[in-house]
Amino acid sequence: MTGFDDYLRRAKVFDWYLHYIDYRMLKDKVQFFALRRKIWKKVLNGDTNAAASSSPELLVLHVPTDNSYVELVPDDYNIKNPEKVLIALQKIELQDFSRIIDDEIAKAASFYQEQVASVNQLLLTGDMAEVANHTLDMFHFVAVNIVTLRQILLRYDGFCRTFGASSVMSEWDCQRRAQEKKYEREEAEVVSFNNSNHPSILTLF
């Protein structure tokens, strides 16, 4: 058991175990992506044994389109268009991973809302000790899920960097920086507007 797996085992509220973001399942998904990349790298390099000895789930690519999926297998590419394969893989990985992350966050958020309702019911009983304990468990639940989400995003980002895909964290950081600059510009415009319409008291004398 790794250090982070051990942390999760100790950190989770036992009775709520099934409602946390499933780190193990997401970690296994990233490892599956990595294994599939390795197999396809061999296939694209002309290793026919790699295709023959691998399971269909590693070789058949269900490439998402606007309304459905297009199923592609090594023979469809005839090992002539590796770039097309890599683009398809990136698209599949990002869509699959995003969908699973969304589902896991929705699961945890739904359970959290249920606990908010439970606390509201407890407040009616006047048992403030129980309210306090339950509320602390809720804060802890949120904190563990945030740490778990961060950890799995870092792991997925490491996978992307290893196999030459777009770095999710780098893209997110660029978007965050762009948003911060936008806020700074808007704040500067507000300050400038206020200064032009509300002169300093020193200028009144």
Side-chain angles (χ1 to χ4, degrees), residues 16 112 114-140:
W16 297 358
Y112 177 82
E114 292 175 7
Q115 300 315 304
V116 170
S118 297
V119 169
N120 289 335
Q121 291 297 318
L122 286 172
L123 284 169
L124 298 177
T125 69
D127 189 347
M128 299 313 294
E130 185 62 25
V131 169
N133 288 334
H134 204 92
T135 302
L136 285 174
D137 282 343
M138 289 168 59
F139 278 121
H140 193 256

Side-chain angles (χ1 to χ4, degrees), residues 136-147:
L136 285 174
D137 282 343
M138 289 168 59
F139 278 121
H140 193 256
F141 177 80
V142 172
V144 171
N145 278 300
I146 290 173
V147 172

Side-chain angles (χ1 to χ4, degrees), residues 31-104:
Q31 290 175 341
F32 170 80
F33 289 163
L35 178 59
R36 183 168 60 187
R37 286 281 190 140
K38 291 176 181 177
I39 296 298
W40 269 99
K41 182 178 180 180
K42 291 180 180 179
V43 170
L44 294 174
N45 286 333
D47 186 348
T48 55
N49 291 329
S53 61
S54 299
S55 63
E57 65 175 354
L58 290 170
L59 291 172
V60 178
L61 305 182
H62 295 88
V63 184
T65 62
D66 291 338
N67 300 313
S68 61
Y69 287 85
V70 176
E71 186 174 285
L72 299 172
V73 296
D75 289 343
D76 294 328
Y77 296 105
N78 198 25
I79 321 301
K80 292 180 180 179
N81 198 338
E83 184 178 353
K84 184 178 179 182
V85 175
L86 294 178
I87 291 173
L89 279 170
Q90 290 183 31
K91 192 172 184 179
I92 293 167
E93 290 157 0
L94 184 57
Q95 185 175 77
D96 284 355
F97 194 73
S98 298
R99 174 183 53 79
I100 296 171
I101 285 285
D102 287 346
D103 289 345
E104 288 298 302

